[in-house]
Amino acid sequence: METSDAVGIHIEEAMVLGRSTRLLAGAMTVACLVLVGPSAPGGALVGWSLPTAVRDVVPNRVMTWNICNPCDESNVDRAAEIAARAPQVIGLQEACVRDVERIREYLRNLHGLVYHVEYGTVLQNWGRCGGAPWSPGAFGQAILSAAPMTDHGTAEYPDGGSEDRGYMAVTTKVGGESVRVFNTHLAQRRQESVRADQVRVLASEVTRHNRAIVLGDFNAVPDTPELAPMWALAADADPQCHSASTGTCEPTTDWHTKFDYVFLRGFTPINHRVQPTAASDHHMLQSDLDPA
């Protein structure tokens, strides 16, 4: 039996062939992919087909997910996890540009979900993202949105801690409402003072917007002092989770800790869900929203 990674490689090869074929005969794209499938190594495309129509996303659903890097995970599996929830907007952390591009292709070609993308890469890292030592892949954050995005901005924190870190922001629509969406990944554990400075930088930008969604891996549990500026501005998508130690917050990592947040400013959560996944050591955190 082929592994998910092997299937993903074969599918990717077939999609490349499909794109070339479209240059010669656009109307025969799907048929050509089907014909190419059995000739791929191991007949990888047997049983796979492109969707006949674009699927709708859940228009008021947002999600944050640290996809784990470096990890030997399949982008086919990552795309399938996202497709099962079909959010309007998703913020990815620990994301290599090459991986995100593959995920987007699988979402479109295997699941009928079409997303725009913007990147907040702050690090060029060959060990994490491949490429050549003199031209390493870009690493950081990414935002996928079913609606177009404008006013894209990326900022690197003055001190990233043990690794360069930053945040990105875009303006898009969630549930038909215009909103500023931020996506960040704060310094690693046991770097509390660095995270405190990073949160102050991020909060100073978030406070400029009456309607904002802040997604990300904050690498800090809810009642840590460094998160206080965020709690002063916004609430977590889980109404039971707050800065006080009496709050009940679902863990979002395999080590039973809440590090991942959907902070809301100007939105009311309708529901939320924490979904463990074998494709990462972080769980997927999603929320359906009602504009306040």
Side-chain angles (χ1 to χ4, degrees):
M1 178 180 290
E2 300 235 279
T3 65
S4 294
D5 283 321
V7 171
I9 290 169
H10 297 330
I11 294 168
E12 196 166 1
E13 291 171 348
M15 286 191 291
V16 170
L17 289 173
R19 287 194 292 271
S20 298
T21 302
R22 281 196 296 273
L23 295 175
L24 300 174
M28 298 297 293
T29 301
V30 174
C32 288
L33 283 170
V34 172
L35 290 173
V36 169
S39 65
L45 285 182
V46 174
W48 294 82
S49 61
L50 299 184
T52 58
V54 173
R55 279 177 53 194
D56 289 333
V57 299
V58 180
N60 60 344
R61 178 169 295 171
V62 298
M63 178 186 293
T64 185
W65 191 22
N66 182 319
I67 60 176
C68 186
N69 186 294
C71 294
D72 185 20
E73 301 296 341
S74 163
N75 289 316
V76 171
D77 292 341
R78 288 166 169 162
E81 293 279 11
I82 294 171
R85 291 148 190 91
Q88 168 102 50
V89 173
I90 177 169
L92 301 176
Q93 302 89 43
E94 295 196 16
C96 295
V97 170
R98 291 184 180 92
D99 286 332
V100 175
E101 287 303 313
R102 292 185 180 107
I103 290 169
R104 284 183 70 219
E105 287 199 359
Y106 295 145
L107 284 168
R108 181 181 65 247
N109 292 315
L110 299 181
H111 303 284
L113 291 168
V114 178
Y115 287 96
H116 303 269
V117 65
E118 293 289 357
Y119 294 98
T121 54
V122 295
L123 182 65
Q124 305 297 312
N125 192 301
W126 176 66
R128 282 187 182 271
C129 295
W134 55 89
S135 181
F139 174 79
Q141 287 76 248
I143 292 177
L144 304 181
S145 174
M149 293 177 278
T150 61
D151 302 322
H152 169 233
T154 298
E156 186 174 339
Y157 293 122
D159 183 0
S162 56
E163 181 178 79
D164 293 345
R165 295 290 165 91
Y167 72 88
M168 63 179 297
V170 301
T171 298
T172 188
K173 288 189 175 182
V174 174
E177 298 291 336
S178 180
V179 58
R180 193 67 170 164
V181 179
F182 295 82
N183 184 19
T184 192
H185 187 191
L186 299 189
Q188 295 173 357
R189 287 177 286 180
R190 295 181 293 279
Q191 300 180 57
E192 292 85 354
S193 62
V194 175
R195 286 197 300 275
D197 289 340
Q198 293 172 347
V199 171
R200 281 191 286 269
V201 170
L202 177 62
S204 69
E205 291 298 316
V206 175
T207 193
R208 299 171 54 220
H209 303 275
N210 293 327
R211 193 186 298 278
I213 299 171
V214 186
L215 310 169
D217 175 2
F218 284 72
N219 269 320
V221 296
D223 60 352
T224 52
E226 63 262 35
L227 291 189
M230 283 305 307
W231 288 115
L233 292 174
D236 188 63
D238 179 359
Q240 302 303 315
C241 182
H242 44 79
S243 60
S245 58
T246 55
T248 303
C249 305
E250 289 186 69
T252 63
T253 66
D254 285 354
W255 49 95
H256 308 295
T257 302
K258 180 176 173 67
F259 277 178
D260 305 273
Y261 298 83
V262 174
F263 282 114
L264 303 174
R265 184 173 168 88
F267 284 86
T268 300
I270 299 172
N271 56 58
H272 77 282
R273 182 178 181 184
V274 176
Q275 180 62 50
T277 167
S280 175
D281 56 357
H282 283 252
H283 306 340
M284 308 178 83
L285 175 58
Q286 73 179 52
S287 182
D288 294 341
L289 308 179
D290 181 26

